[in-house]
Amino acid sequence: MNHLREAVVWLNDPLNWTNPGGVLDRLGEHLILSALAVLLGCLVAWPLGLWLGHTGRGGSAVLLVSNVTLAIPTLALLTILPLTFLGFGRPAVVVALAVFAVPPLLANAYTGVRQADPEARDAARGMGLSGGQLLRRVELPLSVPYLAAGFRTAAVQVVATTALASFVNGGGLGQIIRAGFGLDIAAGGGQVIAGGLLVAGLALLVEGVLALVERAVTPRPLRRVRRAASRRAADAMAGG
C-alpha cells in the first residue's frame, strides 16, 4: 500500500510529466514506436492475408505463421535484433514489435476474405470482374470489420509490449519503470508502479477507442451475427 500511495504521489507531481524524459516525452516515444510497429505489421500481413484468402489457399500456412510468430518471445527478439545491422535503438524495436503484431493482422485478413458472402462473389464473377477486381471491389470491403478487429488486437498487444523497449535503449514508458528499478526498491517502488499504471492505462485507452472504431465499421447485421457467435463460443466454453 505504501508503494501504491507513492505511485499516486509520483503521478501527481507535474515535474514528472513535463521535465525532459518525463511522462509526456516517454508517452510520445511510446506512441510513435507502437504506431510504426503496427503500420509495418499491416504492410506485411494485410496484403498477404488478403491474397491468401482470395485464392482460398494457404490456410494452414497462415495458422503456422501465426503460431510460430506468437511462440517467439518478444524480449528475445528485442535482444537479438540489436546485434544485427539494425543496431540498438528504435529500428530494432519497431521490427521486433511488428513481428508480434503480424499474427492477429494476418489471421483476421485471411478470415475476413474467406467469410465474404459466396453469392456476392458469384454475382461479381457473373458481371465479368477479374480476380483482382473481385478482391478490391467485393472481398476487401466485406472484410473491413475483420481487418478492424485484427488491427485492434494487434495495436493493444503492441502498446502493452512496447514497455520492453527500454531494455534496448528504445525509449517509451518502459523507461520510467526501468528507472524505478534502478533505484533502491524503497525509493523507486512507487515509480515502478506508476510506470506500470501508465502502460496499462494507455493500453485500455487504445482498446476502448479502437473498439468504437471496430463497431463503427461493422454493419449492423454482421454485429448481430458476431455477437451470436461469441455467445455460442462462451456457452460452449462454459459447458466444457
Side-chain angles (χ1 to χ4, degrees), residues 82-138:
L83 301 178
T84 66
F85 67 93
L86 294 173
F88 282 85
R90 293 187 178 182
V93 171
V94 169
V95 172
L97 294 174
V99 171
F100 190 57
V102 162
L105 293 169
L106 179 63
N108 278 271
Y110 177 84
T111 302
V113 176
R114 297 310 303 160
Q115 292 296 319
D117 188 352
E119 294 183 359
R121 284 201 192 98
D122 293 339
R125 291 193 181 98
M127 295 172 62
L129 267 66
S130 65
Q133 291 173 327
L134 174 63
L135 175 59
R136 291 193 304 272
R137 298 183 184 181
V138 178

Side-chain angles (χ1 to χ4, degrees), residues 21-45:
V23 173
L24 295 180
D25 285 349
R26 298 307 182 191
L27 177 61
E29 294 171 354
H30 202 102
L31 291 173
I32 290 172
L33 288 170
S34 301
L36 290 175
V38 175
L39 176 60
L40 179 58
C42 290
L43 292 175
V44 173

